[in-house]
Amino acid sequence: MAESDAPRVLIDDPAPGVRRFTLNRPDQRNSLTRAMRTEIGELVGAFNADPDQYVAIFTGAGDKAFSAGADLKEMATEVSVGDRLPVSQWPDIGGISDSEKPIIAAVNGLAVAGGCELALSSDIRIASTSAWFGLFEVKVGVIAGVGAQVLPRLLPLGVAMDMLLAAGRLSGEDAHRLGLVQQLVEPEKLMEAALQKAEAIAAASPTAVWGTKRI
């Protein structure tokens, strides 16, 4: 099947009350096209509206990348010299942070730029030992709007500024040590760990869980 014919985001329900979204462009490191970003927002909206779904997991297809962020080839055709760069006014990607229901990021490889920001927008991050995080936007003249708003809330300020200003790379081990990642597991154990966490949330009182997130 050609990539253009394959679903860009795979959807399944691996456990009762758990919805899983898999970014499905492994040959492009699961980079996000504009259409995918719109689709993610629609899928999260449908997830929130489904009374039988209590928690969601986002992950990436393959074992090399969670997501490399925006598709740079597409971006190059959208931005002209002299254009003002769009900066997010809300610390969110695809309605993930604003979701009334919890969302877990199962980070299975590199999480860069918008891919890192997608993980930051999630409530809980579980990563494999092969995962790493980066916000390299300053290298290509782009502002990491979501990262700039969220990362200093989740990491020591110096670490956040190193990533935002100097395009520093954060390993999965350091992300776990510093609290950005809540659980670090071997690659083959990643989805098992994410499902265990999701099932623990799904087994709790939905009203209490959603109210806690709202607060």
Side-chain angles (χ1 to χ4, degrees), residues 15-17 23 36 41 47 60 67 84 87 93 97 99 101 111 134 141 145 152 170 173 183 193:
L23 307 175
M36 284 177 71
F47 159 69
S67 174
R84 294 187 64 182
V87 178
I93 282 189
S97 178
S99 168
K101 301 177 183 179
L170 191 68
E173 289 81 359
Q183 190 173 354

Side-chain angles (χ1 to χ4, degrees), residues 19-105:
R19 173 66 46 85
R20 178 167 56 191
F21 302 110
T22 304
L23 307 175
N24 189 38
R25 300 184 75 209
D27 292 340
Q28 287 72 37
R29 299 188 298 176
N30 297 318
S31 58
L32 304 170
T33 63
R34 174 175 286 187
M36 284 177 71
R37 297 195 295 272
T38 299
E39 183 178 2
I40 288 170
E42 293 170 350
L43 291 172
V44 170
F47 159 69
N48 279 318
D50 188 338
D52 295 323
Q53 298 299 328
Y54 303 114
V55 58
I57 298 170
F58 267 88
T59 194
D63 58 3
K64 293 182 172 56
F66 176 71
S67 174
D71 187 306
L72 294 180
K73 290 183 180 178
E74 183 183 71
M75 183 183 291
T77 67
E78 296 175 346
V79 179
S80 302
V81 175
D83 282 355
R84 294 187 64 182
L85 294 171
V87 178
S88 173
Q89 299 301 308
W90 184 250
D92 199 0
I93 282 189
I96 290 174
S97 178
D98 201 35
S99 168
E100 66 182 27
K101 301 177 183 179
I103 295 181
I104 297 168

Side-chain angles (χ1 to χ4, degrees), residues 63-194:
D63 58 3
K64 293 182 172 56
F66 176 71
S67 174
D71 187 306
L72 294 180
K73 290 183 180 178
E74 183 183 71
M75 183 183 291
T77 67
E78 296 175 346
V79 179
S80 302
V81 175
D83 282 355
R84 294 187 64 182
L85 294 171
V87 178
S88 173
Q89 299 301 308
W90 184 250
D92 199 0
I93 282 189
I96 290 174
S97 178
D98 201 35
S99 168
E100 66 182 27
K101 301 177 183 179
I103 295 181
I104 297 168
V107 184
N108 52 311
L110 65 86
V112 174
C116 179
E117 292 179 319
L118 193 155
L120 296 179
S121 296
S122 302
D123 299 293
I124 295 172
R125 286 157 292 281
I126 299 174
S128 80
T129 52
S130 64
W132 58 275
F133 300 83
L135 291 166
F136 302 154
E137 281 87 341
V138 291
K139 289 188 173 183
V140 294
V142 177
I143 296 170
V146 173
Q149 295 179 71
V150 177
L151 202 62
R153 306 177 190 179
L154 301 176
L155 285 173
L157 184 59
V159 178
M161 297 309 283
D162 180 60
M163 292 181 69
L164 290 164
L165 303 180
R169 170 172 164 165
L170 191 68
S171 69
E173 289 81 359
D174 283 342
H176 183 238
R177 176 176 59 84
L178 293 166
L180 181 66
V181 165
Q182 283 64 63
Q183 190 173 354
L184 190 71
V185 297
E186 294 300 320
E188 65 273 15
K189 297 289 188 181
L190 177 63
M191 194 49 59
E192 177 185 345

